[in-house]
Structure formats: C-alpha cells, structure tokens
Amino acid sequence: MNSARHARLCVPICVRRRSELKEAFERAAPLADLVELRLDCLEPSELDALSHPRELDALLRQSPRPLILTLRPSEQGGARSLDLDERAQLWTRLCQSASGTEETTAEEETTQDHFADLELDLLETLKQETLARLARRFVLICSHHDFKGVPPSLDEIYERMTKTPARIFKIAVLANVVADSLPIFRLLERARAERRELIAVAMGEAGIPTRILAPSRGAYLTYGSLDATQATAPGQLSAAQLRRIYRIDFIDEQTLITGLVGSPVAHSLSPHMHNAAFAACDVNAVYLPFEVRDAGDLMRRMVHPRTRELSWRLRGLSVTAPHKSAVIPHLDWIEASAREIGAVNTLVVEGDAVRGYNTDAAAALAPLEKLLTIGGARVAVLGAGGAARALLWALRERGAHATVFARDEARARSTARDFDAQSASLAAASFDGFDLVVNATPLGTRGRHENETPVSGVQLKGARLAYDLVYNPSETRFLREARAAGCATAGGLSMLVAQAAAQFKLWTGTDAPLETMREAAEAAMSEL
C-alpha cells in the first residue's frame, strides 16, 4: 500500500471556560496536528480575560499543538452575535504584545507558529496597521462560510481572498446535495495550480466526502471533532474516524474510491467493514458515505466516466435504499439476476462503463446454511420491497416454497407473481407450520422505527426459525418476539458481511477478509 503521507488534521475546541482548556488540549493532542480554539464559545467574561496580552501569551505557550484562534460571528456559524466593530476591537486586543505595546518583541514572534482565522469581511475592513500587527504575531487565515448553500460567486470570493494579506484561505459552504461538493473540488484544483494554500469544505451530510478527500487533493488541512458529540459544523466527522476508519493519512491521488450511495447513510456499518478490509489486505482504496437524494444526478455528474465532472479513481459503489432501482437506467450492463430482481446494490466502474450487480440475493441465504435445508422449505417473506425481491429470487433458485406477506396486498401479489410465490394478507397472518419467517421490511432498524415489528409473537408461534434482515441493532423487537414465541432466531449481520464481501471481490478481484469485516461491524455497533 502507499506509505503514510500524514494529512494535516485540525481538531476544534469549543468550551465555555478557560479552566476547561487543559483537558480539551490533552484530548485533542494525540490525533491533532493543529487545534482550533473557538474563542466565540467562551463566556464573555472568559473571553475578556483571555484577550489580556499576558493571558493570551500564556495560552499560546501552553498549547501542545499549534493553535488556530477563531472568533466566529453567529452568521458564519459562531456561538454568539458579534458585529464588525466588536470583532475588530477583540482582534486588536489579541494582536497586542505581552508588554502591552503595539510592537512585537523578538521573543514574542515565536507565536508565528500559531494562526489567526479572520473572516473575509473583517480582513477587508481592518486598518492596515492592525493587519500588520496581526501578521507579525500569527499566520493569517482568511475565511468565508455559507450555511445556506454554494454561492454562485464562489470564485469571486476566492479571488477577493487572494487580495488580503492572509497566507491561507478557507471556504466552507453547505452541501444540500452531494454534487455541491464539485465546486469545492474544482476550487482545490485551482488553488493547487496557483500554488496557494486553501482549506475547502462542503459542510453537511452530503459534503462528507470533501472532508475525507480534501487533503489528498491539496487542501492545507481538514477538520475533525474531539468526538461525535462535539462537532463544530454540520457533517463534521470525529478526528478518530478520519484517522482510524477512513485512514486519511494513506489517501493519495492513486487511491481507489468506493462508497455507499443512499439516504440515510450516516450510521451505516459499511464504511467500517470495507475500510477495515482494505487495510487488512493492503489495498490502496477508501470507502466513503454518499448521502444522495437524486441518484440520477449523482450518476451523471460524479459517477459515469463519460459524463462526470470530477477526475477521480472511482472503482465502484454500494447502493442502498431508496436508490437500488433508480440507478438502473444509468448503467451500461446489468447481470441477469439483478435485472430480474429489479434492484442493483453494487456498481463497478470498468473503463468508460458502469456495470450493475446484486450481491444481496446470494448473501441473504448465507446465514441459514447451517440452520435449515432451504430446498423444499416453507418460507414466509414479510415485505415486498427490494430486499424481499432479492430474497425471493434466491429462494426460488434453491427450490423453497415462499409466500409473500405485506400490508399492501396488491403489491404482495405482484411481487409474488414475479418469483412464482404465493401471497397472503399480513394483518391476520399466522405462521404456525412455516420453516422460516423472514423480516424483509425496515421495521426494527435503529432510529424512529426501532421499537416496531411487522408481526407479533402470537403470530410467530409455531414457526421454526425467525430471520431478521435488519442488522442494526443486533437484537430487534422482531427477534425478541420470535424468541418469546419459541422460535430459533438469526440476525442480519451475517448477510450484511456476506454481501459486502462479494462487493469487495468485485472491486478488488480478491477474496474479502470475512472475520475482519465482521469484527469491524460488531465493534461499530457496540459504540452506538
């Protein structure tokens, strides 16, 4: 694999009191190259005290990592309302020397290891003498934030920044859709060509790929929070995730890009599994989450080699709800089983074409091989969506006798006909005598449907085995009800690992490390 290049990672700290800073510094230091101190998070009295020159100098000496001092107003994501004059006054105090004069001594110029992040509007209005003093004390960062979207004037904003005395520029915009990342990647390309230092981020869930890939595309740094609860901007991953799961130190321009397309994807276990597998097999690849509303827009603008607007080594993608059918019109080739199922969960980019596969079907039966004989088994499939269709295809191939149960009886009948199965009403169903009952609905998935089940324990009484395709949480209400009814049970994690392993082989040509993938998934679930 490529050797570690050590991507520069900044960990923001947002505390209310100076007494909390030491602990925060200690927590940040093991993973951070720089620490951003959000001065706007401090209580007003604490900020006033810290802005005394001697207090600030002591803080700068105390920090175990170079500090980025940031005083963000609320309209640019800050914790307090600060008008232009208030910000100017605070920065004027902060750039004074410890002696209280306006000049900086040779000893105090050691603070050039530290940074001051000032917004573009402030840098354009501060007096020249104040800017000169700031530039002697700190490396200046000129920043602009837009929490509504991507402004059409992004290049104009960048050009205004180049006219300030800042050495580093920062632009952060909100990505409302995943393609909003494209202007950020283009801006990074421009800055690198012009040999300028740029921090560029697309905020929000849809912009997460920029946080992971930006350092490998020339960004000066990327930001990672202390932990999942202390993000200082939308979509900010933790420093531990960036270093340990996504391995940003190993990503370079030759890294193969893979990932998960769906909505929602934020809590998926797939990045944990695939990135652990790439590390274990020494494959130069990374697996990213892509929060996508419009699959067609993604396919046209970011995926298909003939139309995409981004130069990257995209190797393939996993596809989950609600896009398993929506991607099909954008593919150049689809395997026969996926076409019959009507759902694609795996894309492989080959040359200038995109190929579609379904690894769910075979994986769905993998956890059952040692639990019952599938051929001739009487199987109840709960649900009539994409997961049910993949399962029904596999059951038909193995000679099982399936019956589809769904709340929408018309959809159940239609789905059953497609796979030579029977259909029946779910509301009054009894599963006494069935060898296998499978929950192929999303009910029970962690989140708002976590305490729901498609059927009750009373209905399950007399069934031999209950199998839940939901894998997170590992113990669903459906499984609890089934166990109370006397059924043997099986969860969905084995299926998740099996379908992911098949994807890994399609992308890399090598067998996946199954145990590594399972351990990574289990470890991730234990932290939720």
Side-chain angles (χ1 to χ4, degrees), residues 411-448:
R411 190 180 185 192
R413 287 193 295 272
S414 175
T415 300
R417 281 196 301 270
D418 289 343
F419 300 97
D420 304 323
Q422 302 297 312
S423 67
S425 171
L426 179 62
S430 170
F431 302 102
D432 187 9
F434 277 89
D435 297 297
L436 174 64
V437 182
V438 186
N439 176 27
T441 80
L443 296 181
T445 303
R446 188 177 298 278
R448 61 177 179 168

Coordinates of all heavy atoms in Angstrom, one line a residue, residues 411-448:
R411 N -49.5 -5.1 -3.8 CA -48.0 -5.2 -4.1 C -47.5 -6.6 -3.8 O -46.6 -7.1 -4.4 CB -47.3 -4.1 -3.3 CG -45.8 -4.0 -3.7 CD -45.1 -2.9 -2.8 NE -43.8 -2.7 -3.3 CZ -42.9 -2.0 -2.6 NH1 -43.2 -1.4 -1.5 NH2 -41.6 -1.9 -3.1
A412 N -48.0 -7.2 -2.7 CA -47.6 -8.5 -2.3 C -47.9 -9.5 -3.5 O -47.1 -10.3 -3.8 CB -48.3 -8.9 -1.0
R413 N -49.1 -9.4 -4.0 CA -49.5 -10.3 -5.1 C -48.6 -10.1 -6.3 O -48.1 -11.0 -7.0 CB -51.0 -10.0 -5.5 CG -52.0 -10.6 -4.5 CD -53.4 -10.6 -5.1 NE -53.8 -9.2 -5.4 CZ -54.5 -8.4 -4.5 NH1 -54.7 -8.9 -3.3 NH2 -54.9 -7.2 -4.9
S414 N -48.3 -8.8 -6.7 CA -47.5 -8.5 -7.8 C -46.1 -9.1 -7.6 O -45.5 -9.7 -8.5 CB -47.4 -7.0 -8.1 OG -46.5 -6.7 -9.1
T415 N -45.5 -8.8 -6.5 CA -44.1 -9.3 -6.2 C -44.1 -10.8 -6.2 O -43.2 -11.5 -6.7 CB -43.7 -8.8 -4.8 OG1 -43.6 -7.4 -4.9 CG2 -42.3 -9.3 -4.5
A416 N -45.1 -11.5 -5.6 CA -45.2 -12.9 -5.5 C -45.2 -13.5 -6.9 O -44.5 -14.5 -7.2 CB -46.4 -13.4 -4.7
R417 N -46.0 -12.9 -7.8 CA -46.1 -13.5 -9.2 C -44.7 -13.4 -9.9 O -44.4 -14.3 -10.7 CB -47.1 -12.6 -10.0 CG -48.6 -13.0 -9.7 CD -49.5 -12.4 -10.8 NE -49.4 -11.0 -10.9 CZ -50.1 -10.1 -10.3 NH1 -51.1 -10.6 -9.4 NH2 -50.0 -8.8 -10.4
D418 N -44.0 -12.4 -9.6 CA -42.7 -12.2 -10.3 C -41.7 -13.4 -10.0 O -40.8 -13.7 -10.7 CB -42.0 -10.9 -9.9 CG -42.7 -9.7 -10.5 OD1 -43.5 -9.9 -11.5 OD2 -42.5 -8.6 -10.1
F419 N -41.9 -14.0 -8.8 CA -41.0 -15.1 -8.4 C -41.7 -16.4 -8.1 O -41.2 -17.2 -7.3 CB -40.2 -14.5 -7.1 CG -39.4 -13.3 -7.4 CD1 -40.0 -12.1 -7.1 CD2 -38.2 -13.4 -8.0 CE1 -39.3 -10.9 -7.3 CE2 -37.5 -12.2 -8.3 CZ -38.0 -11.0 -8.0
D420 N -42.8 -16.6 -8.7 CA -43.5 -17.9 -8.6 C -43.9 -18.2 -7.2 O -43.8 -19.4 -6.8 CB -42.7 -19.0 -9.3 CG -42.4 -18.8 -10.7 OD1 -43.3 -18.2 -11.4 OD2 -41.3 -19.1 -11.1
A421 N -44.2 -17.2 -6.4 CA -44.5 -17.4 -5.0 C -46.0 -17.2 -4.7 O -46.7 -16.8 -5.6 CB -43.7 -16.5 -4.1
Q422 N -46.5 -17.5 -3.5 CA -47.8 -17.2 -3.1 C -47.8 -15.9 -2.4 O -46.8 -15.3 -2.1 CB -48.3 -18.3 -2.2 CG -48.3 -19.7 -2.8 CD -49.2 -19.9 -4.0 OE1 -50.4 -19.5 -3.9 NE2 -48.7 -20.4 -5.1
S423 N -49.0 -15.4 -2.2 CA -49.2 -14.1 -1.4 C -50.3 -14.3 -0.4 O -51.3 -15.1 -0.7 CB -49.3 -12.9 -2.3 OG -50.6 -13.0 -2.9
A424 N -50.3 -13.5 0.7 CA -51.3 -13.6 1.7 C -51.4 -12.3 2.5 O -50.4 -11.5 2.5 CB -51.2 -14.8 2.6
S425 N -52.5 -12.0 3.2 CA -52.6 -10.8 4.0 C -51.7 -10.9 5.2 O -51.6 -12.0 5.8 CB -54.1 -10.6 4.4 OG -54.2 -9.6 5.3
L426 N -51.1 -9.8 5.5 CA -50.2 -9.8 6.7 C -51.0 -9.5 8.0 O -50.6 -10.1 9.0 CB -49.2 -8.6 6.5 CG -48.2 -8.4 7.7 CD1 -47.3 -9.7 7.9 CD2 -47.3 -7.2 7.4
A427 N -52.1 -8.8 7.9 CA -52.8 -8.4 9.1 C -53.2 -9.5 10.0 O -53.0 -9.5 11.2 CB -54.0 -7.5 8.8
A428 N -53.8 -10.6 9.5 CA -54.3 -11.7 10.3 C -53.5 -13.0 10.1 O -54.0 -14.1 10.4 CB -55.7 -11.9 9.9
A429 N -52.2 -12.8 9.6 CA -51.4 -14.0 9.3 C -51.0 -14.8 10.5 O -50.8 -14.2 11.6 CB -50.2 -13.6 8.5
S430 N -51.0 -16.1 10.4 CA -50.4 -17.0 11.4 C -49.3 -17.8 10.7 O -49.5 -18.3 9.6 CB -51.5 -17.9 11.9 OG -50.8 -18.9 12.7
F431 N -48.1 -17.9 11.4 CA -47.0 -18.6 10.8 C -46.7 -19.9 11.3 O -45.6 -20.5 11.2 CB -45.8 -17.7 10.9 CG -46.0 -16.3 10.3 CD1 -46.3 -15.2 11.0 CD2 -46.0 -16.2 8.9 CE1 -46.5 -14.0 10.5 CE2 -46.3 -14.9 8.3 CZ -46.5 -13.8 9.1
D432 N -47.7 -20.5 12.0 CA -47.6 -21.8 12.5 C -47.4 -22.8 11.4 O -48.1 -22.8 10.4 CB -48.9 -22.2 13.3 CG -48.8 -23.5 14.0 OD1 -47.7 -24.1 14.1 OD2 -49.9 -24.0 14.5
G433 N -46.3 -23.6 11.4 CA -46.0 -24.6 10.4 C -45.0 -24.1 9.4 O -44.5 -24.9 8.6
F434 N -44.7 -22.8 9.4 CA -43.6 -22.3 8.5 C -42.2 -22.7 9.0 O -42.0 -22.6 10.2 CB -43.7 -20.8 8.3 CG -44.7 -20.4 7.3 CD1 -46.0 -20.1 7.7 CD2 -44.4 -20.2 6.0 CE1 -47.0 -19.7 6.8 CE2 -45.3 -19.8 5.1 CZ -46.6 -19.5 5.4
D435 N -41.4 -23.1 8.1 CA -40.0 -23.4 8.5 C -39.2 -22.2 8.8 O -38.3 -22.2 9.6 CB -39.3 -24.2 7.4 CG -40.0 -25.6 7.1 OD1 -40.0 -26.4 8.1 OD2 -40.5 -25.7 6.0
L436 N -39.5 -21.1 8.0 CA -38.7 -19.9 8.1 C -39.6 -18.7 7.9 O -40.5 -18.7 7.0 CB -37.7 -19.9 7.0 CG -36.8 -18.6 6.8 CD1 -35.9 -18.4 8.1 CD2 -35.9 -18.8 5.6
V437 N -39.5 -17.7 8.8 CA -40.2 -16.4 8.6 C -39.1 -15.3 8.6 O -38.3 -15.2 9.5 CB -41.1 -16.1 9.8 CG1 -41.9 -14.7 9.6 CG2 -42.1 -17.2 10.0
V438 N -39.1 -14.5 7.5 CA -38.1 -13.5 7.3 C -38.6 -12.1 7.3 O -39.6 -11.8 6.6 CB -37.3 -13.7 5.9 CG1 -36.2 -12.8 5.8 CG2 -36.9 -15.2 5.8
N439 N -38.1 -11.2 8.2 CA -38.4 -9.8 8.1 C -37.6 -9.1 7.1 O -36.4 -8.9 7.3 CB -38.2 -9.2 9.5 CG -38.5 -7.7 9.4 OD1 -39.3 -7.2 8.6 ND2 -37.8 -6.9 10.3
A440 N -38.2 -8.8 5.9 CA -37.5 -8.1 4.9 C -38.0 -6.7 4.8 O -37.9 -6.0 3.7 CB -37.7 -8.8 3.5
T441 N -38.6 -6.2 5.9 CA -39.0 -4.8 6.0 C -38.0 -4.0 6.8 O -37.2 -4.6 7.5 CB -40.4 -4.6 6.7 OG1 -40.2 -4.7 8.1 CG2 -41.4 -5.7 6.2
P442 N -38.0 -2.7 6.7 CA -37.1 -1.9 7.6 C -37.5 -1.7 9.0 O -36.8 -1.1 9.8 CB -37.0 -0.5 6.9 CG -38.3 -0.4 6.2 CD -38.7 -1.8 5.8
L443 N -38.7 -2.3 9.4 CA -39.1 -2.1 10.8 C -38.2 -2.8 11.7 O -37.8 -3.9 11.6 CB -40.5 -2.7 10.9 CG -41.7 -2.0 10.1 CD1 -43.0 -2.7 10.3 CD2 -41.7 -0.5 10.4
G444 N -37.8 -2.0 12.8 CA -36.9 -2.5 13.8 C -35.5 -1.9 13.6 O -34.7 -2.0 14.5
T445 N -35.2 -1.2 12.5 CA -34.0 -0.5 12.3 C -33.7 0.6 13.3 O -34.7 1.3 13.6 CB -33.9 0.0 10.8 OG1 -34.1 -1.0 9.9 CG2 -32.5 0.7 10.6
R446 N -32.5 0.7 13.7 CA -32.2 1.8 14.7 C -32.7 3.1 14.2 O -32.5 3.5 13.1 CB -30.7 1.8 14.9 CG -30.3 2.7 16.1 CD -28.8 2.7 16.3 NE -28.3 1.4 16.7 CZ -28.3 0.9 17.9 NH1 -28.9 1.6 18.9 NH2 -27.8 -0.3 18.2
G447 N -33.3 3.8 15.1 CA -33.9 5.1 14.8 C -35.4 5.1 15.1 O -35.8 4.5 16.1
R448 N -36.2 5.8 14.3 CA -37.6 6.0 14.7 C -38.4 4.8 14.6 O -39.5 4.7 15.2 CB -38.2 7.1 13.8 CG -38.2 6.9 12.3 CD -38.9 8.0 11.6 NE -38.9 7.7 10.1 CZ -39.6 8.4 9.3 NH1 -40.4 9.4 9.7 NH2 -39.6 8.2 8.0

